Amino acid sequence: RVGVSPQLCTSCLRVLSSLVAGSKPEPLLPIVQELLDTISRPEVNESSHLPLYTELGAVIESLLNVLGSSISSYTPQLLFLLLRLCSVYRAQNEQLEETEKMISRLAELQDITVVELYARHSASLVEKLAGLHKEWTRHSPDQNLFGELLLRAIYQSES
């Protein structure tokens, strides 16, 4: 919703994370796409409110833990969100360790390496971002996300 404060979004994400963490997989599976669509909304993942990203990460971690390998069909959207977290944390000089662990967990749940995860999904992420590049400014969240994706492509090609 337009006009929702980042603080309110942060509180809602905290509650959502707790609800997901306390759930069983079966009732969550039918609503996973709706949950991901909601936390992918610009007012949630394009904020400058850093605590919001901590709670967003907690929701993603809860989804990974509760749903396990059942989450694999949602990998592109999850990877997009995790890379958004990385780009925000990098821009704020924050630690990336927890987000890196979630990326590794996402790959592990599919029995692939992180390099394979990026190889499978980078093209679709670039395609998703490509249509928006003319609207970017120096502080555009999508530009930072694109930079994060390029940075990771360089690191992955070196390993």
Side-chain angles (χ1 to χ4, degrees):
R1 222 200 244 172
V2 177
V4 175
S5 75
Q7 292 80 6
L8 181 58
C9 278
T10 302
S11 297
C12 291
L13 288 171
R14 186 174 303 120
V15 170
L16 180 59
S17 174
S18 296
L19 288 170
V20 170
S23 294
K24 294 194 181 301
E26 295 77 22
L28 282 178
L29 285 170
I31 61 167
V32 171
Q33 187 60 59
E34 188 175 348
L35 289 173
L36 290 174
D37 289 346
T38 300
I39 65 175
S40 296
R41 295 178 55 88
E43 58 266 28
V44 176
N45 74 50
E46 293 181 9
S47 172
S48 60
H49 186 63
L50 201 55
L52 186 146
Y53 291 99
T54 302
E55 298 306 329
L56 180 60
V59 171
I60 294 168
E61 185 172 31
S62 294
L63 285 168
L64 292 173
N65 290 338
V66 171
L67 297 175
S69 61
S70 301
I71 199 85
S72 63
S73 61
Y74 304 100
T75 297
Q77 200 167 6
L78 286 165
L79 186 57
F80 183 88
L81 288 167
L82 288 167
L83 289 172
R84 171 81 74 206
L85 288 175
C86 289
S87 71
V88 168
Y89 289 150
R90 190 177 307 284
Q92 299 291 326
N93 294 317
E94 294 290 325
Q95 293 296 319
L96 301 172
E97 288 175 29
E98 291 305 311
T99 309
E100 296 289 352
K101 287 178 187 174
M102 285 187 272
I103 291 171
S104 294
R105 176 87 170 119
L106 184 59
E108 177 186 298
L109 287 169
Q110 297 171 66
D111 291 324
I112 59 174
T113 66
V114 172
V115 172
E116 290 172 304
L117 181 72
Y118 287 121
R120 289 183 186 181
H121 300 288
S122 292
S124 66
L125 294 174
V126 169
E127 187 176 309
K128 183 175 183 174
L129 294 168
L132 306 170
H133 77 281
K134 291 182 181 178
E135 300 169 14
W136 292 348
T137 64
R138 190 173 80 159
H139 301 290
S140 294
D142 287 337
Q143 182 179 8
N144 292 336
L145 177 60
F146 186 70
E148 186 69 29
L149 190 58
L150 289 176
L151 185 63
R152 287 168 182 282
I154 292 168
Y155 287 151
Q156 298 306 320
S157 68
E158 291 176 353
S159 45

